[in-house]
Amino acid sequence: MRSVKVKNYDEMSMEAAMIVFDKIVHSNRLVLGLATGSTPEKMYEYLSDMLNKNKVDLSHVTTVNLDEYVGLSPEDAQSYTHYMRRIFFDKVNIPLENTNVPNGVAEDLEAETKRFDEGIEKLGGVDLQILGIGRNAHIAFNEPGTSFDSNTHVVNLTESTIRDNARFFHSMEDVPTQAISLGLNTIMNAKEILLMASGNNKRQALLDSFHGEVTEDVPGSVLQRHHNVTVLTDIDGFN
Ligand code: GLP
């Protein structure tokens, strides 16, 4: 693991945007794994600006998102599909058919998880995966206890994740209790991983993930087994 210490959230977002921008302009074909949540918001803002200023065509880029809430349709403002369109896809020159987010309102959720994994395989895997991390060290929506061998699956969200994400909803009762999430095995198959973490409330999750025991109780700790992970963080005392 390589860790890069940045001054603050803004610098982390700019650094991440530059890394992704560089990959995009120096590849003939790229499969980008994308994350949601508050952490990457500013990164998408900087990245959109860079791509637009340089008139970059994104037809060679395919995106694959980490997760989606069960029961929220793309039209729902709280869905991750809506988030991605609002914050990135609609702002840049990417064909919508090149973007993939799990379908949280699929009639057969199990079939949807299989379709998603097969789609990633057909693409030849993810080249660069962007990740955030939850306070309980969850990555995507893989909660503590998730098998390191897991592929894309339907997840029951923990109370702490529901509480953390309630800030995006009117009330805690509105937060879906399930999600479709890429599995830890799926994430580990990415060729390169860029994890962003900002603010002291993520400190313990980072320490446990990268300096603690590798255990399924700490989903982020699986990343210690990946050969190409960069952590961009403003958290003191992490390196
Ligand atoms: C959410 C998402 C994750 C994200 C994490 C942290 O539940 N499913 O992909 O990395 O929790 O969120 P935030 O960046 O808002 O702190």
Side-chain angles (χ1 to χ4, degrees), residues 5-66:
K5 172 78 170 60
V6 289
K7 279 205 292 286
N8 49 35
Y9 176 71
D10 195 64
E11 194 178 301
M12 178 191 75
S13 309
M14 178 53 89
E15 281 288 323
M18 288 197 301
I19 291 171
V20 180
F21 178 80
D22 234 53
K23 277 268 171 217
I24 292 175
V25 295
H26 290 115
S27 320
N28 300 323
R29 195 183 161 275
L30 184 71
V31 181
L32 251 187
L34 298 178
T36 49
S38 51
T39 305
E41 274 179 16
K42 194 122 204 193
M43 184 269 293
Y44 287 123
E45 206 179 303
Y46 282 133
L47 181 60
S48 308
D49 285 351
M50 287 176 199
L51 293 168
N52 291 334
K53 266 191 204 121
N54 292 281
K55 298 194 169 45
V56 179
D57 172 74
L58 293 168
S59 50
H60 67 298
V61 177
T62 304
T63 66
V64 177
N65 263 81
L66 283 172

Side-chain angles (χ1 to χ4, degrees), residues 137-188:
H138 74 240
I139 51 178
F141 267 132
N142 294 290
E143 299 283 17
T146 306
S147 164
F148 285 169
D149 294 328
S150 52
N151 293 319
T152 300
H153 57 141
V154 178
V155 175
N156 293 323
L157 301 178
T158 62
E159 216 188 303
S160 85
T161 297
I162 292 175
R163 217 177 307 116
D164 282 353
N165 289 358
R167 68 189 192 278
F168 299 110
F169 293 80
H170 290 304
S171 72
M172 217 166 118
E173 288 66 46
D174 291 331
V175 186
T177 54
Q178 285 189 312
I180 296 178
S181 174
L182 252 67
L184 292 170
N185 179 51
T186 333
I187 292 170
M188 287 292 283

Side-chain angles (χ1 to χ4, degrees), residues 40 54 115 135-136 140 143 216 237:
N54 292 281
R115 185 192 71 85
R135 275 192 313 121
N136 64 359
E143 299 283 17
E216 290 180 349

